[in-house]
Amino acid sequence: MKDKMTIIMFSGELDKGIAAFTLATTAAASNMDVTIFFTFWGLNLLKKSAYTITKSQNIMQKMFNIMSTSKLPISKLNMFGMGAWMMKKLMKKTNMASLEELMKVARELKVKYVACTTSCGVLGVKREDLVGEVDDYIGAAAYLAEAKEAKINLFI
């Protein structure tokens, strides 16, 4: 039986996404089963487009979705997007994989993506708003059942 690792992806920030996917791909390449549970702002990593505004959302859901764009900022020194731009340039210059590349490798290594049903409901995010790579939509109880079997559980 393989060792397991779970990651709660709570952050919608570029640098934290890179850290999560670096750990996920490293664990999966080391023959571990890896599940990433995307919740609240972490769902921004899975959004198809910058804004997910629909008629069925209430005004607060629309406001949250406008404020939480899929153009991911960095956690410190974002400087109106310039920090994220600089980080991407440095990563390319030093031959570090981008977040998009890490996410592609994660899928190739069978990292499981699960979206939090509660967060989706609160934020008014529908299945069609997220990329097709989402393996499942689950609540906290189902995530905890999986985390209980894991050797490593991370919150990012």
Side-chain angles (χ1 to χ4, degrees):
M1 189 167 182
K2 286 183 175 183
D3 286 335
K4 290 185 179 185
M5 178 171 95
T6 70
I7 299 172
I8 296 176
M9 190 68 226
F10 179 81
S11 172
E13 296 165 320
L14 177 65
D15 49 331
K16 292 178 183 178
I18 291 166
F21 278 92
T22 297
L23 292 168
T25 55
T26 302
S30 300
N31 202 33
M32 293 181 79
D33 284 331
V34 181
T35 298
I36 304 176
F37 180 69
F38 296 87
T39 187
F40 286 100
W41 319 125
L43 290 167
N44 289 339
L45 278 75
L46 299 178
K47 284 185 179 178
K48 288 181 188 174
S49 63
Y51 303 106
T52 54
I53 307 302
T54 63
K55 290 180 181 180
S56 65
Q57 293 171 332
N58 65 42
I59 189 70
M60 284 194 281
Q61 291 170 328
K62 288 177 182 178
M63 288 171 60
F64 268 125
N65 282 288
I66 288 170
M67 291 185 293
S68 63
T69 175
S70 66
K71 292 187 185 247
L72 307 175
I74 58 174
S75 59
K76 303 285 184 206
L77 304 173
N78 190 50
M79 302 174 288
F80 302 102
M82 195 164 126
W85 175 82
M86 290 169 52
M87 176 176 270
K88 289 177 185 178
K89 287 285 186 189
L90 282 171
M91 290 171 63
K92 189 172 185 171
K93 187 174 185 172
T94 59
N95 295 318
M96 184 177 170
S98 68
L99 177 59
E100 295 78 17
E101 291 165 335
L102 288 168
M103 291 177 78
K104 182 179 181 219
V105 170
R107 294 307 295 162
E108 291 168 0
L109 292 170
K110 309 288 188 240
V111 171
K112 186 177 171 187
Y113 294 2
V114 295
C116 176
T117 54
T118 303
S119 295
C120 286
V122 167
L123 298 174
V125 175
K126 306 274 188 243
R127 290 177 188 237
E128 56 269 16
D129 299 328
L130 302 178
V131 295
E133 287 86 17
V134 177
D135 294 296
D136 205 356
Y137 293 80
I138 64 173
Y143 165 74
L144 289 173
E146 188 153 339
K148 187 176 178 182
E149 297 176 5
K151 247 186 181 173
I152 301 169
N153 295 293
L154 304 173
F155 185 94
I156 300 176

